[in-house]
Amino acid sequence: MLIAVGSDHRGIEFKKFIINCLIDMKLECKDFGSFSAESVDYPDIAESVGKAVVSGQCNYGILICGTGIGMSMAANKVKGIRAALCIDDFMAERARLHNDANVICLGAERGEAGVKQMLNKLFSTQFEGGRHQHRLDKMAKMETSC
Ligand code: RB5
């Protein structure tokens, strides 16, 4: 399993923490930047990570900015991305179970508490399908009709 990871300048240190968590979990990751404290625009990183996921180059994406909000908005503009802003393991579990999230967005300013539990839920929870599938189909349709 290959995880695409990206952050803006606000999330650089947090991204290092996430990468170490992924290594501890024996997951491979590809770092899409940013790599310095210089200000960058989060949509640029979200686009790179989103494209890596929809192309199949990576299985999931993790995006980090100050709050996770900008990254989630930007990532959801990439066709095929279902990005979920998660603040705890409950949200991470539901994002997979009900929404088949393929990108999770995290806020660096929220801090590291509970993040390992979130990652565990993210990678151990399968999409439930069933009644949720046609809702995802409707969202996919919106990508061309709205
Ligand atoms: C960057 O200043 C900040 O706006 C960004 O990291 C993020 O919090 C946006 O949602």
PDB file of all heavy atoms in Angstrom, residues 8-11 39-40 42 64-71 109, ligand 1:
ATOM      1  N   ASP A   8       1.017  21.921   3.181  1.00  0.00           N
ATOM      2  CA  ASP A   8       1.523  23.260   2.868  1.00  0.00           C
ATOM      3  C   ASP A   8       2.587  23.599   3.921  1.00  0.00           C
ATOM      4  O   ASP A   8       2.967  22.746   4.738  1.00  0.00           O
ATOM      5  CB  ASP A   8       0.383  24.291   2.770  1.00  0.00           C
ATOM      6  CG  ASP A   8      -0.256  24.639   4.110  1.00  0.00           C
ATOM      7  OD1 ASP A   8       0.122  24.035   5.139  1.00  0.00           O
ATOM      8  OD2 ASP A   8      -1.143  25.514   4.145  1.00  0.00           O
ATOM      9  N   HIS A   9       3.051  24.859   3.923  1.00  0.00           N
ATOM     10  CA  HIS A   9       4.108  25.272   4.850  1.00  0.00           C
ATOM     11  C   HIS A   9       3.688  25.135   6.311  1.00  0.00           C
ATOM     12  O   HIS A   9       4.512  24.895   7.179  1.00  0.00           O
ATOM     13  CB  HIS A   9       4.524  26.716   4.544  1.00  0.00           C
ATOM     14  CG  HIS A   9       3.365  27.666   4.500  1.00  0.00           C
ATOM     15  ND1 HIS A   9       2.470  27.673   3.437  1.00  0.00           N
ATOM     16  CD2 HIS A   9       2.925  28.600   5.373  1.00  0.00           C
ATOM     17  CE1 HIS A   9       1.542  28.592   3.659  1.00  0.00           C
ATOM     18  NE2 HIS A   9       1.785  29.162   4.840  1.00  0.00           N
ATOM     19  N   ARG A  10       2.372  25.265   6.577  1.00  0.00           N
ATOM     20  CA  ARG A  10       1.897  25.159   7.967  1.00  0.00           C
ATOM     21  C   ARG A  10       1.948  23.722   8.486  1.00  0.00           C
ATOM     22  O   ARG A  10       1.872  23.494   9.692  1.00  0.00           O
ATOM     23  CB  ARG A  10       0.459  25.679   8.074  1.00  0.00           C
ATOM     24  CG  ARG A  10       0.311  27.151   7.768  1.00  0.00           C
ATOM     25  CD  ARG A  10       0.907  28.032   8.840  1.00  0.00           C
ATOM     26  NE  ARG A  10      -0.012  28.231   9.959  1.00  0.00           N
ATOM     27  CZ  ARG A  10      -0.912  29.209  10.006  1.00  0.00           C
ATOM     28  NH1 ARG A  10      -1.026  30.050   9.007  1.00  0.00           N
ATOM     29  NH2 ARG A  10      -1.699  29.337  11.051  1.00  0.00           N
ATOM     30  N   GLY A  11       2.032  22.779   7.561  1.00  0.00           N
ATOM     31  CA  GLY A  11       1.942  21.380   7.979  1.00  0.00           C
ATOM     32  C   GLY A  11       3.227  20.590   7.873  1.00  0.00           C
ATOM     33  O   GLY A  11       3.226  19.370   8.057  1.00  0.00           O
ATOM     34  N   SER A  39       6.230  29.914   2.146  1.00  0.00           N
ATOM     35  CA  SER A  39       4.786  29.852   1.927  1.00  0.00           C
ATOM     36  C   SER A  39       4.444  29.246   0.558  1.00  0.00           C
ATOM     37  O   SER A  39       5.015  29.617  -0.464  1.00  0.00           O
ATOM     38  CB  SER A  39       4.203  31.274   2.027  1.00  0.00           C
ATOM     39  OG  SER A  39       2.807  31.213   1.866  1.00  0.00           O
ATOM     40  N   VAL A  40       3.521  28.291   0.578  1.00  0.00           N
ATOM     41  CA  VAL A  40       3.037  27.684  -0.678  1.00  0.00           C
ATOM     42  C   VAL A  40       1.510  27.728  -0.652  1.00  0.00           C
ATOM     43  O   VAL A  40       0.898  27.965   0.395  1.00  0.00           O
ATOM     44  CB  VAL A  40       3.501  26.213  -0.842  1.00  0.00           C
ATOM     45  CG1 VAL A  40       4.992  26.129  -1.077  1.00  0.00           C
ATOM     46  CG2 VAL A  40       3.082  25.370   0.353  1.00  0.00           C
ATOM     47  N   TYR A  42      -1.896  25.776  -0.760  1.00  0.00           N
ATOM     48  CA  TYR A  42      -2.339  24.388  -0.520  1.00  0.00           C
ATOM     49  C   TYR A  42      -3.042  23.739  -1.728  1.00  0.00           C
ATOM     50  O   TYR A  42      -2.929  22.521  -1.897  1.00  0.00           O
ATOM     51  CB  TYR A  42      -3.194  24.281   0.760  1.00  0.00           C
ATOM     52  CG  TYR A  42      -4.393  25.188   0.833  1.00  0.00           C
ATOM     53  CD1 TYR A  42      -5.567  24.881   0.171  1.00  0.00           C
ATOM     54  CD2 TYR A  42      -4.352  26.369   1.562  1.00  0.00           C
ATOM     55  CE1 TYR A  42      -6.664  25.721   0.215  1.00  0.00           C
ATOM     56  CE2 TYR A  42      -5.438  27.218   1.631  1.00  0.00           C
ATOM     57  CZ  TYR A  42      -6.593  26.899   0.960  1.00  0.00           C
ATOM     58  OH  TYR A  42      -7.676  27.730   1.006  1.00  0.00           O
ATOM     59  N   ILE A  64      -2.309  17.789   4.660  1.00  0.00           N
ATOM     60  CA  ILE A  64      -2.224  18.553   5.907  1.00  0.00           C
ATOM     61  C   ILE A  64      -2.045  20.034   5.586  1.00  0.00           C
ATOM     62  O   ILE A  64      -1.183  20.409   4.780  1.00  0.00           O
ATOM     63  CB  ILE A  64      -1.004  18.082   6.730  1.00  0.00           C
ATOM     64  CG1 ILE A  64      -1.078  16.579   7.008  1.00  0.00           C
ATOM     65  CG2 ILE A  64      -0.882  18.877   8.028  1.00  0.00           C
ATOM     66  CD1 ILE A  64       0.263  15.895   6.953  1.00  0.00           C
ATOM     67  N   CYS A  65      -2.850  20.863   6.209  1.00  0.00           N
ATOM     68  CA  CYS A  65      -2.580  22.305   6.217  1.00  0.00           C
ATOM     69  C   CYS A  65      -2.822  22.762   7.656  1.00  0.00           C
ATOM     70  O   CYS A  65      -2.918  21.929   8.563  1.00  0.00           O
ATOM     71  CB  CYS A  65      -3.409  23.060   5.183  1.00  0.00           C
ATOM     72  SG  CYS A  65      -5.194  22.970   5.375  1.00  0.00           S
ATOM     73  N   GLY A  66      -2.955  24.050   7.874  1.00  0.00           N
ATOM     74  CA  GLY A  66      -3.128  24.520   9.248  1.00  0.00           C
ATOM     75  C   GLY A  66      -4.340  23.883   9.909  1.00  0.00           C
ATOM     76  O   GLY A  66      -4.272  23.358  11.024  1.00  0.00           O
ATOM     77  N   THR A  67      -5.459  23.929   9.204  1.00  0.00           N
ATOM     78  CA  THR A  67      -6.709  23.387   9.759  1.00  0.00           C
ATOM     79  C   THR A  67      -7.173  22.102   9.077  1.00  0.00           C
ATOM     80  O   THR A  67      -8.045  21.405   9.609  1.00  0.00           O
ATOM     81  CB  THR A  67      -7.839  24.417   9.546  1.00  0.00           C
ATOM     82  OG1 THR A  67      -7.927  24.670   8.127  1.00  0.00           O
ATOM     83  CG2 THR A  67      -7.575  25.709  10.290  1.00  0.00           C
ATOM     84  N   GLY A  68      -6.675  21.844   7.890  1.00  0.00           N
ATOM     85  CA  GLY A  68      -7.175  20.737   7.063  1.00  0.00           C
ATOM     86  C   GLY A  68      -8.331  21.177   6.171  1.00  0.00           C
ATOM     87  O   GLY A  68      -8.717  20.454   5.242  1.00  0.00           O
ATOM     88  N   ILE A  69      -8.874  22.357   6.434  1.00  0.00           N
ATOM     89  CA  ILE A  69     -10.066  22.804   5.704  1.00  0.00           C
ATOM     90  C   ILE A  69      -9.736  23.134   4.241  1.00  0.00           C
ATOM     91  O   ILE A  69     -10.388  22.643   3.312  1.00  0.00           O
ATOM     92  CB  ILE A  69     -10.705  24.029   6.396  1.00  0.00           C
ATOM     93  CG1 ILE A  69     -11.238  23.642   7.779  1.00  0.00           C
ATOM     94  CG2 ILE A  69     -11.847  24.591   5.536  1.00  0.00           C
ATOM     95  CD1 ILE A  69     -11.678  24.830   8.635  1.00  0.00           C
ATOM     96  N   GLY A  70      -8.714  23.953   4.037  1.00  0.00           N
ATOM     97  CA  GLY A  70      -8.353  24.330   2.669  1.00  0.00           C
ATOM     98  C   GLY A  70      -7.977  23.107   1.848  1.00  0.00           C
ATOM     99  O   GLY A  70      -8.399  22.967   0.683  1.00  0.00           O
ATOM    100  N   MET A  71      -7.215  22.213   2.432  1.00  0.00           N
ATOM    101  CA  MET A  71      -6.795  21.003   1.719  1.00  0.00           C
ATOM    102  C   MET A  71      -8.012  20.156   1.329  1.00  0.00           C
ATOM    103  O   MET A  71      -8.064  19.613   0.219  1.00  0.00           O
ATOM    104  CB  MET A  71      -5.846  20.164   2.583  1.00  0.00           C
ATOM    105  CG  MET A  71      -4.428  20.673   2.598  1.00  0.00           C
ATOM    106  SD  MET A  71      -3.651  20.574   0.961  1.00  0.00           S
ATOM    107  CE  MET A  71      -1.934  20.865   1.413  1.00  0.00           C
ATOM    108  N   GLU A 109      -2.588  22.371  13.155  1.00  0.00           N
ATOM    109  CA  GLU A 109      -2.769  23.182  14.364  1.00  0.00           C
ATOM    110  C   GLU A 109      -3.647  22.496  15.401  1.00  0.00           C
ATOM    111  O   GLU A 109      -3.725  22.931  16.548  1.00  0.00           O
ATOM    112  CB  GLU A 109      -3.324  24.558  13.978  1.00  0.00           C
ATOM    113  CG  GLU A 109      -2.250  25.387  13.267  1.00  0.00           C
ATOM    114  CD  GLU A 109      -2.823  26.570  12.509  1.00  0.00           C
ATOM    115  OE1 GLU A 109      -3.757  27.203  13.001  1.00  0.00           O
ATOM    116  OE2 GLU A 109      -2.318  26.833  11.400  1.00  0.00           O
TER     117      GLU A 109
HETATM  118  C1  RB5 B   1      -2.141  28.937   5.445  1.00  0.00           C
HETATM  119  O1  RB5 B   1      -1.891  30.182   5.997  1.00  0.00           O
HETATM  120  C2  RB5 B   1      -3.483  28.402   5.967  1.00  0.00           C
HETATM  121  O2  RB5 B   1      -4.514  29.189   5.464  1.00  0.00           O
HETATM  122  C3  RB5 B   1      -3.640  26.954   5.582  1.00  0.00           C
HETATM  123  O3  RB5 B   1      -2.625  26.196   6.161  1.00  0.00           O
HETATM  124  C4  RB5 B   1      -4.936  26.274   5.965  1.00  0.00           C
HETATM  125  O4  RB5 B   1      -5.205  26.370   7.322  1.00  0.00           O
HETATM  126  C5  RB5 B   1      -6.111  26.576   5.112  1.00  0.00           C
HETATM  127  O5  RB5 B   1      -7.186  25.997   5.233  1.00  0.00           O
END
